[in-house]
Coordinates of all heavy atoms in Angstrom, one line a residue:
M1 N -59.3 70.4 -3.6 CA -58.6 70.8 -4.8 C -57.1 70.5 -4.6 O -56.5 70.0 -5.5 CB -58.8 72.3 -5.0 CG -60.2 72.7 -5.4 SD -60.7 71.9 -6.9 CE -60.5 73.2 -8.1
N2 N -56.6 70.8 -3.4 CA -55.2 70.6 -3.2 C -54.9 69.1 -3.2 O -53.9 68.6 -3.8 CB -54.7 71.1 -1.8 CG -54.3 72.6 -1.9 OD1 -54.0 73.0 -3.0 ND2 -54.4 73.2 -0.8
L3 N -55.8 68.3 -2.7 CA -55.7 66.9 -2.7 C -55.6 66.3 -4.1 O -54.8 65.5 -4.4 CB -56.8 66.2 -1.9 CG -56.7 64.7 -1.6 CD1 -55.6 64.5 -0.6 CD2 -58.0 64.2 -1.1
R4 N -56.5 66.9 -4.9 CA -56.5 66.4 -6.3 C -55.2 66.7 -7.0 O -54.7 65.9 -7.7 CB -57.7 67.2 -7.1 CG -59.0 66.4 -7.0 CD -59.9 66.9 -8.1 NE -61.0 66.1 -8.2 CZ -62.0 66.3 -9.2 NH1 -61.8 67.3 -10.0 NH2 -63.0 65.5 -9.3
K5 N -54.7 67.9 -6.7 CA -53.4 68.3 -7.3 C -52.3 67.3 -6.9 O -51.5 66.9 -7.7 CB -53.0 69.7 -6.9 CG -53.4 70.7 -7.9 CD -52.8 72.1 -7.7 CE -53.3 73.1 -8.7 NZ -52.7 74.5 -8.4
T6 N -52.4 67.0 -5.6 CA -51.4 66.1 -5.0 C -51.5 64.7 -5.7 O -50.5 64.1 -6.1 CB -51.5 65.9 -3.5 OG1 -51.7 67.2 -3.0 CG2 -50.3 65.3 -2.9
I7 N -52.7 64.3 -5.9 CA -52.9 63.0 -6.5 C -52.4 63.0 -7.9 O -51.8 62.1 -8.4 CB -54.5 62.6 -6.4 CG1 -54.8 62.2 -5.0 CG2 -54.8 61.5 -7.4 CD1 -56.3 62.2 -4.7
L8 N -52.8 64.1 -8.6 CA -52.3 64.2 -10.0 C -50.8 64.2 -10.1 O -50.2 63.5 -10.9 CB -52.9 65.5 -10.6 CG -54.2 65.4 -11.4 CD1 -54.7 66.8 -11.8 CD2 -54.0 64.5 -12.6
L9 N -50.2 65.0 -9.2 CA -48.7 65.1 -9.2 C -48.1 63.7 -8.9 O -47.2 63.2 -9.6 CB -48.2 66.1 -8.2 CG -48.3 67.6 -8.7 CD1 -47.9 68.5 -7.5 CD2 -47.2 67.8 -9.8
T10 N -48.7 63.1 -7.9 CA -48.3 61.7 -7.5 C -48.4 60.8 -8.7 O -47.5 60.1 -9.0 CB -49.1 61.2 -6.3 OG1 -49.1 62.2 -5.3 CG2 -48.4 60.0 -5.8
A11 N -49.6 60.9 -9.4 CA -49.8 60.0 -10.5 C -48.8 60.3 -11.6 O -48.2 59.4 -12.2 CB -51.2 60.3 -11.1
L12 N -48.5 61.6 -11.9 CA -47.5 61.9 -12.9 C -46.1 61.4 -12.5 O -45.4 60.9 -13.3 CB -47.5 63.5 -13.1 CG -48.6 64.0 -13.9 CD1 -48.6 65.6 -13.9 CD2 -48.5 63.6 -15.4
V13 N -45.8 61.6 -11.2 CA -44.5 61.1 -10.8 C -44.4 59.6 -10.9 O -43.4 59.1 -11.4 CB -44.2 61.5 -9.3 CG1 -43.0 60.8 -8.7 CG2 -44.0 63.1 -9.2
V14 N -45.4 58.9 -10.5 CA -45.5 57.5 -10.6 C -45.3 57.1 -12.1 O -44.5 56.2 -12.4 CB -46.8 56.9 -10.0 CG1 -46.9 55.4 -10.4 CG2 -46.7 57.1 -8.5
I15 N -46.1 57.7 -13.0 CA -46.0 57.4 -14.4 C -44.6 57.7 -14.9 O -44.0 56.9 -15.6 CB -47.1 58.2 -15.2 CG1 -48.5 57.7 -14.9 CG2 -46.8 58.2 -16.7 CD1 -49.6 58.6 -15.3
G16 N -44.1 58.9 -14.5 CA -42.7 59.2 -14.9 C -41.7 58.2 -14.5 O -40.9 57.7 -15.2
L17 N -41.8 57.8 -13.2 CA -40.9 56.8 -12.7 C -41.1 55.5 -13.4 O -40.2 54.8 -13.8 CB -41.2 56.6 -11.2 CG -40.6 57.7 -10.3 CD1 -41.0 57.4 -8.8 CD2 -39.1 57.7 -10.4
G18 N -42.4 55.2 -13.7 CA -42.7 53.9 -14.4 C -42.1 53.9 -15.7 O -41.5 52.9 -16.2
L19 N -42.1 55.1 -16.4 CA -41.6 55.1 -17.8 C -40.1 55.0 -17.8 O -39.5 54.2 -18.5 CB -42.0 56.5 -18.4 CG -43.4 56.5 -18.9 CD1 -43.7 57.9 -19.5 CD2 -43.7 55.5 -20.0
T20 N -39.4 55.8 -16.8 CA -38.0 55.6 -16.8 C -37.6 54.2 -16.3 O -36.6 53.7 -16.8 CB -37.4 56.7 -15.8 OG1 -38.1 56.6 -14.6 CG2 -37.5 58.1 -16.4
G21 N -38.5 53.7 -15.5 CA -38.2 52.3 -15.0 C -38.3 51.3 -16.2 O -37.4 50.5 -16.4
C22 N -39.3 51.6 -17.1 CA -39.4 50.7 -18.3 C -38.2 50.8 -19.2 O -37.7 49.9 -19.7 CB -40.7 51.1 -19.0 SG -42.2 50.3 -18.3
K23 N -37.8 52.1 -19.3 CA -36.6 52.3 -20.2 C -35.4 51.6 -19.7 O -34.6 51.1 -20.4 CB -36.4 53.8 -20.4 CG -37.2 54.4 -21.5 CD -37.0 55.9 -21.6 CE -38.0 56.5 -22.6 NZ -37.9 58.0 -22.6
K24 N -35.3 51.7 -18.4 CA -34.1 51.1 -17.8 C -34.2 49.6 -17.9 O -33.2 48.9 -18.1 CB -34.0 51.5 -16.3 CG -33.3 52.8 -16.1 CD -33.2 53.1 -14.6 CE -32.5 54.5 -14.4 NZ -32.5 54.9 -13.0
K25 N -35.5 49.1 -17.8 CA -35.6 47.6 -17.9 C -35.4 47.2 -19.4 O -35.0 46.1 -19.6 CB -37.0 47.3 -17.5 CG -37.1 47.0 -16.0 CD -38.5 46.6 -15.6 CE -38.7 46.5 -14.1 NZ -40.1 46.3 -13.7
E26 N -35.7 48.1 -20.3 CA -35.6 47.7 -21.7 C -34.2 47.4 -22.1 O -33.9 46.6 -23.1 CB -36.2 48.7 -22.6 CG -37.6 48.4 -23.0 CD -38.3 49.5 -23.8 OE1 -38.2 50.7 -23.4 OE2 -38.9 49.1 -24.8
Q27 N -33.2 48.0 -21.5 CA -31.8 47.8 -21.8 C -31.4 46.3 -21.6 O -30.8 45.8 -22.5 CB -30.9 48.8 -21.1 CG -31.0 50.1 -21.8 CD -30.3 51.2 -20.9 OE1 -30.0 51.0 -19.8 NE2 -29.9 52.3 -21.6
P28 N -31.7 45.8 -20.4 CA -31.3 44.4 -20.3 C -32.2 43.4 -21.0 O -31.9 42.2 -21.1 CB -31.5 44.1 -18.8 CG -31.8 45.4 -18.1 CD -32.3 46.3 -19.2
V29 N -33.3 43.9 -21.6 CA -34.2 43.0 -22.4 C -33.5 42.1 -23.4 O -33.8 40.9 -23.5 CB -35.4 43.8 -23.0 CG1 -36.1 43.0 -24.1 CG2 -36.5 44.0 -21.9
P30 N -32.6 42.7 -24.2 CA -32.0 41.8 -25.2 C -31.3 40.6 -24.5 O -31.2 39.5 -25.1 CB -30.9 42.7 -25.8 CG -31.5 44.1 -25.7 CD -32.3 44.1 -24.4
S31 N -30.9 40.8 -23.3 CA -30.2 39.6 -22.6 C -31.3 38.7 -22.0 O -31.1 37.5 -21.9 CB -29.3 40.1 -21.5 OG -30.1 40.6 -20.4
S32 N -32.5 39.3 -21.8 CA -33.6 38.4 -21.2 C -34.0 37.3 -22.2 O -34.1 36.2 -21.8 CB -34.8 39.3 -20.8 OG -34.5 40.0 -19.6
P33 N -34.3 37.7 -23.5 CA -34.7 36.6 -24.4 C -33.5 35.6 -24.6 O -33.8 34.5 -25.0 CB -35.0 37.3 -25.7 CG -35.2 38.8 -25.3 CD -34.4 39.0 -24.1
A34 N -32.3 36.1 -24.4 CA -31.2 35.2 -24.5 C -31.1 34.2 -23.4 O -30.6 33.1 -23.5 CB -29.9 36.0 -24.5
N35 N -31.7 34.6 -22.2 CA -31.7 33.7 -21.1 C -32.4 32.4 -21.3 O -31.9 31.3 -21.0 CB -32.3 34.4 -19.8 CG -31.3 35.3 -19.2 OD1 -30.1 35.2 -19.5 ND2 -31.7 36.2 -18.4
P36 N -33.7 32.4 -21.9 CA -34.3 31.1 -22.1 C -33.5 30.3 -23.1 O -33.5 29.1 -23.0 CB -35.7 31.5 -22.8 CG -35.9 32.9 -22.3 CD -34.5 33.5 -22.1
K37 N -32.9 31.0 -24.1 CA -32.1 30.2 -25.0 C -30.9 29.6 -24.3 O -30.6 28.4 -24.6 CB -31.5 31.2 -26.1 CG -32.5 31.4 -27.2 CD -31.9 32.3 -28.3 CE -32.9 32.6 -29.4 NZ -32.3 33.5 -30.4
A38 N -30.3 30.4 -23.4 CA -29.2 29.8 -22.7 C -29.6 28.6 -21.8 O -28.9 27.6 -21.7 CB -28.6 30.9 -21.8
A39 N -30.8 28.8 -21.2 CA -31.4 27.7 -20.4 C -31.6 26.5 -21.3 O -31.4 25.4 -20.9 CB -32.6 28.2 -19.8
A40 N -32.1 26.7 -22.5 CA -32.4 25.6 -23.4 C -31.1 24.9 -23.8 O -31.1 23.7 -23.9 CB -33.2 26.1 -24.6
S41 N -30.1 25.7 -24.1 CA -28.9 25.1 -24.5 C -28.2 24.4 -23.4 O -27.6 23.3 -23.6 CB -27.9 26.2 -25.1 OG -27.5 27.0 -24.0
T42 N -28.4 24.9 -22.2 CA -27.8 24.1 -21.0 C -28.6 22.9 -20.8 O -28.1 21.9 -20.3 CB -27.7 25.0 -19.8 OG1 -29.0 25.6 -19.6 CG2 -26.7 26.0 -19.8
A43 N -29.9 22.9 -21.2 CA -30.7 21.7 -21.0 C -30.3 20.6 -21.9 O -30.4 19.4 -21.5 CB -32.2 22.1 -21.2
T44 N -29.8 21.0 -23.1 CA -29.4 19.9 -24.0 C -28.0 19.5 -23.7 O -27.7 18.3 -23.9 CB -29.5 20.4 -25.5 OG1 -28.9 21.7 -25.6 CG2 -31.0 20.5 -25.9
T45 N -27.2 20.4 -23.3 CA -25.8 20.0 -23.0 C -25.5 20.3 -21.5 O -24.8 21.2 -21.2 CB -24.8 20.8 -23.9 OG1 -25.1 22.2 -23.8 CG2 -24.8 20.4 -25.3
V46 N -26.1 19.5 -20.7 CA -26.0 19.7 -19.3 C -24.6 19.3 -18.9 O -24.1 18.3 -19.2 CB -27.0 18.8 -18.5 CG1 -27.0 19.2 -17.0 CG2 -28.4 19.0 -19.0
E47 N -24.0 20.3 -18.2 CA -22.6 20.0 -17.8 C -22.5 19.4 -16.4 O -22.9 20.0 -15.4 CB -21.8 21.3 -17.8 CG -21.3 21.7 -19.1 CD -20.3 20.8 -19.7 OE1 -19.3 20.6 -19.0 OE2 -20.4 20.4 -20.8
Q48 N -22.1 18.2 -16.4 CA -21.9 17.5 -15.1 C -20.5 17.9 -14.6 O -19.5 17.8 -15.4 CB -22.0 16.0 -15.2 CG -21.9 15.3 -13.9 CD -21.4 13.8 -14.1 OE1 -21.7 13.2 -15.2 NE2 -20.8 13.3 -13.1
T49 N -20.4 18.5 -13.4 CA -19.1 19.0 -13.0 C -18.6 18.2 -11.8 O -17.4 18.2 -11.5 CB -19.2 20.4 -12.6 OG1 -20.3 20.6 -11.7 CG2 -19.4 21.3 -13.8
T50 N -19.5 17.5 -11.1 CA -19.0 16.7 -9.9 C -19.3 15.3 -10.0 O -20.3 14.9 -10.6 CB -19.6 17.3 -8.6 OG1 -21.0 17.3 -8.8 CG2 -19.1 18.7 -8.4
C51 N -18.5 14.5 -9.4 CA -18.7 13.0 -9.3 C -19.9 12.7 -8.5 O -20.0 13.1 -7.4 CB -17.4 12.4 -8.8 SG -17.5 10.6 -8.6
P52 N -20.8 11.8 -9.0 CA -22.0 11.5 -8.2 C -21.7 10.5 -7.1 O -22.5 10.4 -6.2 CB -22.9 10.8 -9.3 CG -22.0 10.3 -10.3 CD -20.8 11.2 -10.3
V53 N -20.6 9.8 -7.2 CA -20.3 8.8 -6.2 C -19.5 9.5 -5.0 O -19.9 9.5 -3.9 CB -19.4 7.7 -6.7 CG1 -19.1 6.7 -5.7 CG2 -20.2 7.0 -7.9
M54 N -18.4 10.2 -5.4 CA -17.6 11.0 -4.4 C -18.2 12.4 -4.5 O -17.7 13.2 -5.2 CB -16.2 11.0 -4.8 CG -15.4 9.7 -4.5 SD -15.3 9.3 -2.8 CE -13.8 8.4 -2.8
D55 N -19.3 12.5 -3.8 CA -20.1 13.8 -3.8 C -19.2 15.0 -3.8 O -18.6 15.2 -2.8 CB -21.1 13.8 -2.7 CG -22.5 14.2 -3.2 OD1 -22.6 14.7 -4.4 OD2 -23.5 14.1 -2.5
G56 N -19.3 15.8 -4.8 CA -18.6 17.1 -4.8 C -17.2 17.0 -5.4 O -16.6 18.1 -5.7
N57 N -16.7 15.8 -5.7 CA -15.3 15.7 -6.3 C -15.4 16.1 -7.8 O -16.4 15.7 -8.5 CB -14.9 14.3 -6.2 CG -13.9 14.1 -5.1 OD1 -13.8 14.9 -4.2 ND2 -13.1 13.0 -5.2
P58 N -14.5 17.0 -8.2 CA -14.6 17.3 -9.7 C -14.3 16.1 -10.6 O -13.6 15.2 -10.2 CB -13.4 18.3 -9.8 CG -12.6 18.2 -8.6 CD -13.4 17.6 -7.5
I59 N -15.0 16.1 -11.7 CA -15.0 14.9 -12.6 C -13.7 14.9 -13.4 O -13.1 15.9 -13.6 CB -16.2 14.9 -13.5 CG1 -16.3 16.2 -14.3 CG2 -17.4 14.5 -12.8 CD1 -17.1 16.2 -15.5
N60 N -13.3 13.7 -13.8 CA -12.2 13.5 -14.7 C -12.9 13.1 -16.0 O -13.5 12.0 -16.1 CB -11.3 12.4 -14.2 CG -10.2 12.1 -15.2 OD1 -10.1 12.6 -16.3 ND2 -9.2 11.4 -14.7
K61 N -12.8 14.0 -17.1 CA -13.5 13.7 -18.3 C -13.1 12.4 -19.0 O -13.7 12.0 -20.0 CB -13.4 14.9 -19.2 CG -14.1 16.1 -18.7 CD -15.2 16.6 -19.7 CE -16.1 17.7 -19.1 NZ -17.2 18.1 -20.0
K62 N -12.0 11.9 -18.6 CA -11.5 10.6 -19.2 C -12.2 9.4 -18.6 O -12.1 8.3 -19.1 CB -10.0 10.5 -19.0 CG -9.2 11.5 -19.9 CD -7.7 11.4 -19.7 CE -7.0 12.4 -20.5 NZ -5.6 12.5 -20.0
V63 N -12.8 9.6 -17.4 CA -13.5 8.5 -16.7 C -15.0 8.7 -16.8 O -15.5 9.6 -16.1 CB -13.0 8.5 -15.2 CG1 -13.6 7.3 -14.5 CG2 -11.5 8.4 -15.1
F64 N -15.6 8.0 -17.7 CA -17.0 8.1 -17.8 C -17.6 6.8 -18.3 O -16.9 5.9 -18.8 CB -17.4 9.2 -18.8 CG -17.0 9.0 -20.2 CD1 -17.8 8.3 -21.1 CD2 -15.8 9.5 -20.7 CE1 -17.5 8.1 -22.4 CE2 -15.4 9.2 -22.0 CZ -16.2 8.6 -22.9
V65 N -18.9 6.7 -18.1 CA -19.6 5.5 -18.6 C -20.9 6.0 -19.3 O -21.4 7.1 -18.9 CB -19.9 4.5 -17.5 CG1 -20.9 5.1 -16.5 CG2 -20.5 3.2 -18.0
E66 N -21.4 5.3 -20.3 CA -22.6 5.7 -20.9 C -23.7 5.0 -20.3 O -23.7 3.7 -20.2 CB -22.6 5.5 -22.4 CG -22.2 6.7 -23.2 CD -22.5 6.7 -24.7 OE1 -23.6 6.1 -25.0 OE2 -21.8 7.4 -25.4
Y67 N -24.7 5.7 -19.7 CA -25.8 5.1 -19.0 C -27.1 5.7 -19.6 O -27.3 6.9 -19.6 CB -25.7 5.4 -17.5 CG -26.8 4.7 -16.8 CD1 -26.8 3.3 -16.6 CD2 -27.9 5.4 -16.2 CE1 -27.9 2.7 -15.9 CE2 -28.9 4.8 -15.5 CZ -28.9 3.4 -15.4 OH -29.9 2.8 -14.7
K68 N -27.9 4.8 -20.2 CA -29.2 5.3 -20.8 C -28.9 6.3 -21.9 O -29.6 7.4 -22.0 CB -30.2 5.8 -19.8 CG -30.7 4.6 -18.9 CD -31.8 5.1 -18.0 CE -32.3 4.0 -17.1 NZ -33.3 4.4 -16.1
G69 N -27.8 6.2 -22.6 CA -27.5 7.1 -23.7 C -26.9 8.4 -23.3 O -26.6 9.2 -24.1
K70 N -26.6 8.5 -22.0 CA -26.0 9.8 -21.5 C -24.7 9.4 -20.8 O -24.5 8.4 -20.1 CB -26.9 10.5 -20.6 CG -28.1 11.1 -21.3 CD -29.1 11.7 -20.3 CE -30.3 12.3 -21.1 NZ -31.3 12.8 -20.2
K71 N -23.7 10.3 -21.0 CA -22.4 10.1 -20.4 C -22.4 10.6 -19.0 O -22.9 11.6 -18.7 CB -21.4 10.9 -21.2 CG -20.9 10.2 -22.5 CD -19.9 11.0 -23.2 CE -19.5 10.2 -24.5 NZ -18.6 11.0 -25.4
V72 N -21.9 9.7 -18.1 CA -21.8 10.0 -16.7 C -20.3 10.0 -16.4 O -19.6 9.0 -16.6 CB -22.6 9.0 -15.9 CG1 -22.4 9.3 -14.4 CG2 -24.0 8.9 -16.3
Y73 N -19.9 11.1 -15.8 CA -18.5 11.3 -15.6 C -18.2 11.0 -14.1 O -19.0 11.3 -13.2 CB -18.0 12.7 -15.9 CG -18.1 13.0 -17.4 CD1 -19.2 13.5 -18.0 CD2 -17.0 12.6 -18.2 CE1 -19.3 13.8 -19.3 CE2 -17.1 12.9 -19.6 CZ -18.2 13.5 -20.1 OH -18.3 13.7 -21.5
F74 N -17.0 10.6 -13.8 CA -16.6 10.3 -12.4 C -15.2 10.9 -12.2 O -14.5 11.3 -13.1 CB -16.5 8.8 -12.2 CG -17.8 8.1 -12.6 CD1 -17.9 7.6 -13.8 CD2 -18.8 8.1 -11.7 CE1 -19.1 7.0 -14.2 CE2 -20.0 7.5 -12.0 CZ -20.2 6.9 -13.3
C75 N -14.8 11.0 -10.9 CA -13.5 11.5 -10.6 C -12.4 10.5 -10.8 O -11.3 10.8 -11.0 CB -13.5 12.1 -9.2 SG -14.0 11.0 -7.9
C76 N -12.8 9.2 -10.6 CA -11.8 8.2 -10.8 C -12.5 6.9 -11.2 O -13.7 6.7 -11.1 CB -11.0 8.0 -9.5 SG -12.1 7.5 -8.1
A77 N -11.7 5.9 -11.6 CA -12.2 4.6 -12.1 C -13.0 3.8 -11.0 O -13.9 3.1 -11.3 CB -11.1 3.8 -12.7
D78 N -12.6 4.0 -9.8 CA -13.2 3.3 -8.7 C -14.7 3.8 -8.6 O -15.6 2.9 -8.4 CB -12.5 3.7 -7.4 CG -11.2 2.9 -7.2 OD1 -11.0 2.0 -8.0 OD2 -10.4 3.2 -6.3
C79 N -14.9 5.1 -8.7 CA -16.3 5.6 -8.7 C -17.1 5.1 -9.8 O -18.3 4.8 -9.6 CB -16.3 7.1 -8.7 SG -15.6 7.8 -7.2
K80 N -16.5 4.9 -11.0 CA -17.2 4.3 -12.1 C -17.7 2.9 -11.8 O -18.9 2.6 -12.1 CB -16.3 4.3 -13.3 CG -16.9 3.8 -14.6 CD -15.9 3.8 -15.7 CE -16.3 2.8 -16.8 NZ -15.2 2.5 -17.7
A81 N -16.9 2.2 -11.2 CA -17.2 0.8 -10.8 C -18.3 0.8 -9.8 O -19.3 0.0 -9.8 CB -16.0 0.1 -10.2
V82 N -18.3 1.7 -8.8 CA -19.3 1.8 -7.8 C -20.6 2.2 -8.4 O -21.7 1.6 -8.1 CB -18.9 2.9 -6.7 CG1 -20.1 3.1 -5.7 CG2 -17.7 2.4 -6.0
F83 N -20.6 3.1 -9.4 CA -21.8 3.6 -10.1 C -22.4 2.4 -10.8 O -23.6 2.2 -10.8 CB -21.5 4.7 -11.0 CG -22.6 5.2 -11.9 CD1 -23.5 6.1 -11.4 CD2 -22.8 4.6 -13.2 CE1 -24.6 6.5 -12.2 CE2 -23.9 5.0 -14.0 CZ -24.8 6.0 -13.5
E84 N -21.6 1.7 -11.5 CA -22.1 0.6 -12.4 C -22.8 -0.5 -11.5 O -23.6 -1.2 -12.1 CB -21.0 0.0 -13.2 CG -20.7 0.9 -14.4 CD -19.5 0.5 -15.2 OE1 -18.5 0.0 -14.6 OE2 -19.6 0.6 -16.4
K85 N -22.4 -0.6 -10.3 CA -23.1 -1.6 -9.4 C -24.5 -1.2 -9.1 O -25.4 -2.0 -8.9 CB -22.3 -1.8 -8.1 CG -21.1 -2.7 -8.3 CD -20.3 -2.9 -7.0 CE -19.0 -3.5 -7.2 NZ -18.1 -3.5 -6.0
D86 N -24.7 0.1 -8.9 CA -26.0 0.6 -8.5 C -26.3 2.0 -9.1 O -26.3 3.0 -8.4 CB -26.1 0.7 -7.0 CG -27.5 0.8 -6.5 OD1 -28.5 0.8 -7.4 OD2 -27.7 0.9 -5.3
P87 N -26.5 2.0 -10.5 CA -26.6 3.4 -11.1 C -27.8 4.2 -10.6 O -27.6 5.4 -10.5 CB -26.8 3.0 -12.6 CG -26.3 1.6 -12.7 CD -26.6 0.9 -11.4
E88 N -28.9 3.5 -10.4 CA -30.1 4.2 -10.0 C -29.9 5.1 -8.7 O -30.6 6.1 -8.5 CB -31.3 3.3 -9.8 CG -31.7 2.6 -11.1 CD -32.3 3.5 -12.2 OE1 -32.9 4.5 -11.8 OE2 -32.1 3.3 -13.4
K89 N -29.0 4.6 -7.9 CA -28.7 5.3 -6.6 C -28.1 6.6 -6.9 O -28.2 7.5 -6.1 CB -27.8 4.4 -5.8 CG -27.6 4.8 -4.4 CD -26.7 3.8 -3.7 CE -26.1 4.3 -2.4 NZ -25.2 3.4 -1.8
Y90 N -27.4 6.8 -8.0 CA -26.6 8.0 -8.2 C -27.2 8.9 -9.3 O -26.8 10.1 -9.3 CB -25.2 7.6 -8.6 CG -24.5 6.8 -7.5 CD1 -24.3 5.4 -7.7 CD2 -24.1 7.4 -6.4 CE1 -23.7 4.7 -6.7 CE2 -23.5 6.7 -5.3 CZ -23.3 5.3 -5.5 OH -22.7 4.6 -4.5
I91 N -28.0 8.4 -10.2 CA -28.5 9.2 -11.3 C -29.3 10.4 -10.8 O -29.4 11.4 -11.4 CB -29.3 8.5 -12.4 CG1 -30.5 7.8 -11.8 CG2 -28.3 7.5 -13.1 CD1 -31.4 7.3 -12.9
A92 N -29.9 10.3 -9.6 CA -30.7 11.4 -9.0 C -29.8 12.6 -8.8 O -30.3 13.7 -8.7 CB -31.3 11.0 -7.7
K93 N -28.5 12.4 -8.6 CA -27.6 13.5 -8.4 C -27.0 14.1 -9.6 O -26.3 15.1 -9.6 CB -26.4 13.0 -7.5 CG -26.7 12.5 -6.2 CD -25.5 11.9 -5.5 CE -25.8 11.4 -4.1 NZ -24.6 10.8 -3.5
L94 N -27.4 13.5 -10.8 CA -26.8 13.9 -12.0 C -27.7 14.9 -12.8 O -28.9 14.6 -13.0 CB -26.5 12.7 -12.9 CG -25.4 11.8 -12.4 CD1 -25.4 10.5 -13.0 CD2 -24.0 12.5 -12.5
P95 N -27.2 16.1 -13.2 CA -28.1 17.0 -13.9 C -28.6 16.5 -15.2 O -29.7 16.9 -15.6 CB -27.2 18.2 -14.1 CG -25.8 17.7 -13.9 CD -25.9 16.5 -13.0
Q96 N -27.9 15.6 -15.9 CA -28.4 15.1 -17.2 C -29.5 14.2 -17.0 O -30.2 13.8 -18.0 CB -27.2 14.5 -18.0 CG -26.5 13.3 -17.3 CD -25.3 13.8 -16.5 OE1 -25.4 14.6 -15.6 NE2 -24.1 13.3 -16.8
F97 N -29.8 13.7 -15.8 CA -30.9 12.8 -15.6 C -32.0 13.5 -14.7 O -32.9 12.9 -14.2 CB -30.5 11.5 -14.8 CG -29.7 10.6 -15.7 CD1 -28.3 10.6 -15.5 CD2 -30.2 9.8 -16.6 CE1 -27.5 9.8 -16.3 CE2 -29.4 9.0 -17.4 CZ -28.1 9.0 -17.3
A98 N -31.9 14.9 -14.6 CA -32.8 15.6 -13.7 C -34.2 15.6 -14.2 O -35.1 15.6 -13.4 CB -32.3 17.1 -13.6
K99 N -34.4 15.5 -15.5 CA -35.8 15.5 -16.0 C -36.5 14.1 -15.9 O -35.8 13.2 -16.2 CB -35.9 16.0 -17.4 CG -35.8 17.5 -17.4 CD -35.9 18.1 -18.8 CE -35.8 19.6 -18.8 NZ -35.8 20.2 -20.1
Ligands
LIG1 ZN1 -13.7 8.9 -7.5

């Protein structure tokens, strides 16, 4: 009998915790559906931030080339020239060609 009571109490506590847990989870839910949207929007407008040639160098938005219909940015004109010699070598590093 005592065991049953304990099990019941435990069950109630678990259910109670589960409910409060759900309520707590429901608050961030509005941001959760926004996440796939954010992911989708980032998928369409992938931000390239680093130069694929000079790995890790921040890009200069004035230095870019269009490759396969997508803009590829570089940190300097030299990198652009290097990229154009062998684009396939560098597109693997570019988020806009990730898919
Ligand atoms: Zn460069």
Side-chain angles (χ1 to χ4, degrees):
M1 291 302 257
N2 274 340
L3 188 68
R4 269 200 171 183
K5 266 191 179 176
T6 314
I7 288 167
L8 266 175
L9 277 172
T10 310
L12 281 172
V13 168
V14 167
I15 289 164
L17 283 174
L19 284 175
T20 52
C22 279
K23 274 178 187 173
K24 274 181 184 174
K25 273 181 186 174
E26 264 176 311
Q27 281 171 342
V29 157
S31 71
S32 285
N35 281 342
K37 274 184 186 176
S41 67
T42 49
T44 49
T45 52
V46 188
E47 278 292 310
Q48 185 201 335
T49 53
T50 55
C51 175
V53 180
M54 288 292 210
D55 225 347
N57 260 22
I59 52 160
N60 180 350
K61 291 242 171 181
K62 287 176 185 170
V63 185
F64 66 89
V65 66
E66 265 197 34
Y67 183 71
K68 290 185 179 176
K70 286 172 181 178
K71 280 180 180 172
V72 180
Y73 295 93
F74 307 95
C75 57
C76 61
D78 286 347
C79 289
K80 184 184 156 189
V82 173
F83 175 85
E84 283 176 319
K85 279 180 191 170
D86 195 3
E88 294 294 326
K89 188 177 166 186
Y90 300 104
I91 58 167
K93 296 177 183 179
L94 294 163
Q96 58 269 56
F97 292 100
K99 277 181 182 177

